[in-house]
Amino acid sequence: MRRVIAVSVVMLLTSGCAVGPNYKRPLVDVPATYRGAVPQVPEQSAVESLGDQKWWEVFQDKQLQELIHAALQQNYDVRIAAARILEAQAQVGITRADGLPAISAGVQSVDQRSARQKFFPAYETSAHEADLSLAWDLDFWGKYRRANESARASLLATQWAREAVITTLVSDVAAGYFQLRELDLQLEISRRTLASRQNSLQLTQVLARGGATSMLDVRQAEQLVFTAAETIPDLERRIEQQENLISTLLGVNPGPIARGTKLTDQPHSPDIPAGLPSTLLERRPDIRQAEAQLIAANAQIGVAKAAYFPQITLTGSAGFQSSALTSLFTGPAGLWNFGGSLAQPIFAGGRIRSGVRLSEARQQETLLIYQQTIQLAFRGVSDALVEYRKDREFREQQVQLASSAEDAARLSETRYRGGATSYLEVLTNETNYFDAELGLAQAQLNELLGLVSIYRNLGGGWQEQ
């Protein structure tokens, strides 16, 4: 009966209430639609979102997919984030162990001889002991339960932090690859233009030697050649530096990067479904991370408040003690003790109250960070949507500009060869055409970067392959 009563008391004590507030997701102001989003086409669902698609479905260039896959395996930021998860898991284990009984065993054997003194003869003693001890701080007020809740939430936040790193990495690799392909396109344009202008210069030099034109036309033709030629070394430098950047994202030493589809052939849909803003709270890793941190901070209030209440501790030990090692486990050598203690804080100089205030202030800070993260997420999506739409419109106009500039350059060349105009007109139109082609390449890049920005801001990219 005594054992039953003791077990019942222990169960009652360990199943007590947990002080501190229980977590409730705070209300946030969620807009009905994203600003800048285009109306849904009839065949698209209102809840369909680009952020729900896997990264290998959004970025269909096979070589880009291989680069992203390699980055996910080797990138140091991802590996560091994984190591932090292991740290958080270990911390959860440490915190859980704080609420469990601590059991230890010990063996001691001492033989001692005391020297003869003036009034006492010499003597020898021998003591041998083996025992098992237990100490348990009962979690009556929920201190350890709240600490476990906080540690688990911190682990979850660390896991979401890794997903946020993956999302950023996928976007960075895609953006870096598109920038590399745009530089390749600019280099191709520059080399093609240089070859064309060198041929034109040779023709002008022949005409000048025959007296059909002046040296001024030759000098102007040389300017066109030099203008195209000077861009090539700069582009080659930027290409190599961009390859070094992508190599760093891949977690390898700087080296060449394999190419796939040309920039102008990169597949992407003109209409980007954004989905419902309310789903962003569940999809974006940084929002989920901020909420997990809020849960952890909320649980720490309970840990701090538990310090107001008594600390109940159970201790006990049992073992054997004997002066002779041969009779340690025989005869009347057994010993045991069991007890409990209760310690109630009376005066701590305001330490406990200040600890509670500190945890409440941290919870308020984390709440504001959570709300700010959501607001910035909505802004990021809206900015990316309008950026993509306007970049697309700009690219369409740039296509027409490049086409018009190309035709003007062709007509001016024909007029010059027919003697209807000076080479200054050719110089002007050739320069305009060259700039228009480079501008079109930049416009095509900006449209793809807008797609990457939408995908990242919608919380896509962390899905595992």
Side-chain angles (χ1 to χ4, degrees):
M1 180 61 68
R2 291 179 180 177
R3 292 180 179 177
V4 172
I5 294 175
V7 171
S8 301
V9 171
V10 170
M11 293 180 62
L12 176 64
L13 292 176
T14 56
S15 62
C17 62
V19 297
N22 293 323
Y23 175 76
K24 292 179 62 178
R25 174 176 286 184
L27 298 177
V28 294
D29 184 15
V30 179
T33 58
Y34 294 111
R35 183 184 183 188
V38 296
Q40 295 290 130
V41 296
E43 60 270 15
Q44 284 183 347
S45 170
V47 298
E48 183 180 353
S49 173
L50 178 70
D52 293 325
Q53 298 183 24
K54 309 297 189 296
W55 58 261
W56 55 92
E57 297 173 345
V58 177
F59 308 119
Q60 300 178 20
D61 186 328
K62 297 299 183 182
Q63 187 57 48
L64 175 56
Q65 292 177 358
E66 292 182 9
L67 293 176
I68 294 176
H69 184 71
L72 294 177
Q73 298 295 324
Q74 302 168 169
N75 180 265
Y76 279 101
D77 288 335
V78 174
R79 293 159 66 182
I80 291 172
R84 287 173 179 165
I85 292 178
L86 298 179
E87 293 176 14
Q89 290 174 340
Q91 185 60 52
V92 169
I94 293 173
T95 305
R96 184 188 300 115
D98 290 339
L100 299 176
I103 303 175
S104 60
V107 177
Q108 181 178 359
S109 179
V110 178
D111 291 320
Q112 180 178 357
R113 181 182 186 279
S114 177
R116 178 179 177 278
Q117 299 181 17
K118 184 175 181 181
F119 300 104
F120 300 97
Y123 67 92
E124 296 182 2
T125 60
S126 181
H128 308 283
E129 181 178 344
D131 59 34
L132 190 70
S133 60
L134 176 144
W136 190 8
D137 291 335
L138 298 181
D139 191 23
F140 185 72
W141 314 110
K143 171 184 177 181
Y144 296 120
R145 274 171 286 166
R146 290 299 189 191
N148 286 333
E149 179 183 349
S150 178
R152 289 194 300 268
S154 296
L155 171 59
L156 184 61
T158 308
Q159 292 171 335
W160 280 114
R162 176 180 177 270
E163 309 302 350
V165 170
I166 291 176
T167 296
T168 302
L169 177 63
V170 169
S171 300
D172 287 347
V173 173
Y177 180 77
F178 291 147
Q179 289 169 342
L180 179 62
R181 298 305 282 141
E182 189 266 343
L183 291 173
D184 290 338
L185 179 58
Q186 286 195 28
L187 183 61
E188 177 186 338
I189 293 172
S190 298
R191 287 174 173 170
R192 184 179 68 243
T193 302
L194 176 60
S196 175
R197 290 179 177 181
Q198 286 173 337
N199 293 333
S200 180
L201 173 60
Q202 292 175 358
L203 176 60
T204 305
Q205 290 172 338
V206 171
L207 294 175
R209 285 194 296 267
T213 187
S214 65
M215 287 302 298
L216 178 61
D217 291 345
V218 174
R219 294 292 177 257
Q220 290 175 335
E222 288 175 346
Q223 293 178 37
L224 289 176
V225 172
F226 299 150
T227 300
E230 70 178 1
T231 62
I232 293 177
D234 182 63
L235 287 171
E236 291 174 339
R237 171 190 61 82
R238 293 169 60 189
I239 286 174
E240 190 166 336
Q241 290 177 337
Q242 188 67 21
E243 288 180 324
N244 294 342
L245 171 63
I246 296 176
S247 298
T248 302
L249 294 175
L250 300 182
V252 298
N253 292 326
I257 300 299
R259 271 70 157 178
T261 306
K262 295 178 60 175
L263 182 76
T264 53
D265 298 331
Q266 291 291 334
H268 63 284
S269 173
D271 299 318
I272 304 298
L276 298 176
S278 58
T279 61
L280 195 66
L281 305 182
E282 302 296 331
R283 189 189 307 114
R284 276 198 46 151
D286 57 340
I287 296 179
R288 299 295 298 272
Q289 177 189 0
E291 184 178 17
Q293 291 171 338
L294 177 59
I295 296 173
N298 187 79
Q300 284 297 323
I301 297 177
V303 176
K305 286 186 174 181
Y308 278 121
F309 301 98
Q311 181 177 350
I312 303 173
T313 305
L314 299 179
T315 59
S317 64
F320 302 90
Q321 186 178 50
S322 175
S323 59
L325 187 60
T326 55
S327 60
L328 179 61
F329 300 105
T330 60
L335 58 87
W336 63 270
N337 68 74
F338 178 81
S341 65
L342 184 147
Q344 169 64 51
I346 298 177
F347 178 76
R351 177 184 295 272
I352 298 177
R353 182 176 64 254
S354 297
V356 173
R357 290 177 179 175
L358 175 61
S359 60
E360 290 175 341
R362 286 176 175 171
Q363 189 268 352
Q364 286 298 312
E365 177 189 2
T366 312
L367 172 61
L368 293 174
I369 292 175
Y370 172 66
Q371 294 171 336
Q372 182 187 48
T373 303
I374 294 175
Q375 189 178 75
L376 292 176
F378 289 146
R379 176 196 168 185
V381 174
S382 298
D383 287 350
L385 288 172
V386 69
E387 175 187 2
Y388 179 76
R389 187 175 72 252
K390 294 304 178 182
D391 283 342
R392 181 185 173 196
E393 294 175 2
F394 181 82
R395 190 260 306 162
E396 292 172 349
Q397 295 299 319
Q398 196 70 26
V399 169
Q400 298 181 18
L401 175 61
S403 177
S404 177
E406 180 184 14
D407 194 46
R410 180 184 58 79
L411 292 175
S412 63
E413 181 71 22
T414 302
R415 281 165 51 83
Y416 171 73
R417 293 186 180 185
T421 186
S422 68
Y423 203 81
L424 179 61
E425 180 180 308
V426 177
L427 173 65
T428 301
N429 286 289
E430 282 286 348
T431 302
N432 292 341
Y433 177 47
F434 183 52
D435 292 340
E437 279 197 298
L438 296 180
L440 177 58
Q442 183 65 47
Q444 291 167 332
L445 170 64
N446 290 339
E447 184 177 359
L448 288 172
L449 293 181
L451 171 67
V452 174
S453 180
I454 292 176
Y455 188 55
R456 180 180 66 251
N457 281 282
L458 286 175
W462 54 268
Q463 300 89 339
E464 300 290 342
Q465 188 171 16

